[in-house]
Amino acid sequence: DQLLPAPPKDGSPKALAELAEVQRLDKTRTPDEFARAKRDDETENASAFAEVMGPRFNLATLPVTAHLLDEVQVEEKAAAKAAKDHFLRNRPWILDPSLKSCAQADPPQSSYPSGHSTMGYAFAVILARLEPAKAAAVMARASDYADNRLVCGMHFRSDVVAGQALGTAVALK
């Protein structure tokens, strides 16, 4: 009983449409959009939500919250790794080497689901529950964080959607 459906197969109409979306973004993104996406690529922790959460969001002074988010991160990483190892989906830059991605150090067959999206949504669901008044802004940030995986040329749309679902499931577990 799997939470995630299989990603589209390379060469299928859906996969080709997803590749076309990443190619379009590669050609139309602005330098500022790419820089923002690259910053998100390099931010793999709860500090991705610091601006939205506000100046009191300092995990050094919130040890219980920091511990909770650490536990969530362990769980989301394990879930995402298991799915990546199962599905072995090629990254966009493997299928189109002309794409300028944020990084190419990640394993080439680790696109599905997006780990950043999984992490972002796992953290967002927790943070939205901790600060209900900021829930809409937190979830909007999670969406931007996930969509930046497309801007970065690191993932396909279905990778991001799967990460959103997986991260939400981890947070609600």
Side-chain angles (χ1 to χ4, degrees):
D1 196 21
Q2 288 181 328
L3 171 67
L4 302 177
K9 294 209 181 305
D10 287 351
S12 70
K14 174 124 171 112
L16 293 173
E18 288 188 336
L19 179 59
E21 178 186 25
V22 175
Q23 291 166 329
R24 180 185 53 76
L25 287 167
D26 185 67
K27 289 176 180 51
T28 62
R29 65 188 174 207
T30 67
D32 284 346
E33 289 169 335
F34 188 70
R36 244 186 334 273
K38 186 146 179 61
R39 276 192 305 276
D40 280 351
D41 179 65
E42 295 165 355
T43 305
E44 295 186 62
N45 56 52
S47 69
F49 293 90
E51 186 176 323
V52 175
M53 293 300 292
R56 290 188 356 222
F57 188 67
N58 176 353
L59 292 177
T61 62
L62 300 167
V64 174
T65 302
H67 179 73
L68 173 61
L69 294 176
D70 286 346
E71 287 184 354
V72 168
Q73 190 158 32
V74 167
E75 292 296 319
E76 64 81 10
K77 278 186 183 236
K81 182 179 182 334
K84 286 174 181 287
D85 290 349
H86 175 76
F87 291 112
L88 298 173
R89 186 179 196 191
N90 285 316
R91 291 204 179 253
W93 44 266
I94 292 297
L95 299 178
D96 181 353
S98 74
L99 292 170
K100 182 182 179 211
S101 61
C102 287
Q104 291 188 356
D106 293 348
Q109 290 186 314
S110 62
S111 198
Y112 185 89
S114 162
H116 279 71
S117 300
T118 302
M119 184 204 75
Y121 270 76
F123 284 163
V125 169
I126 297 295
L127 293 172
R129 292 178 81 185
L130 292 175
E131 291 277 348
K134 296 181 179 181
V138 166
M139 296 311 294
R141 173 65 180 124
S143 180
D144 289 344
Y145 185 80
D147 283 348
N148 274 338
R149 303 311 289 157
L150 301 169
V151 175
C152 254
M154 296 298 291
H155 288 285
F156 299 103
R157 176 67 60 191
S158 59
D159 304 341
V160 169
V161 170
Q164 292 166 331
L166 186 58
T168 299
V170 167
L172 296 176
K173 180 176 136 188

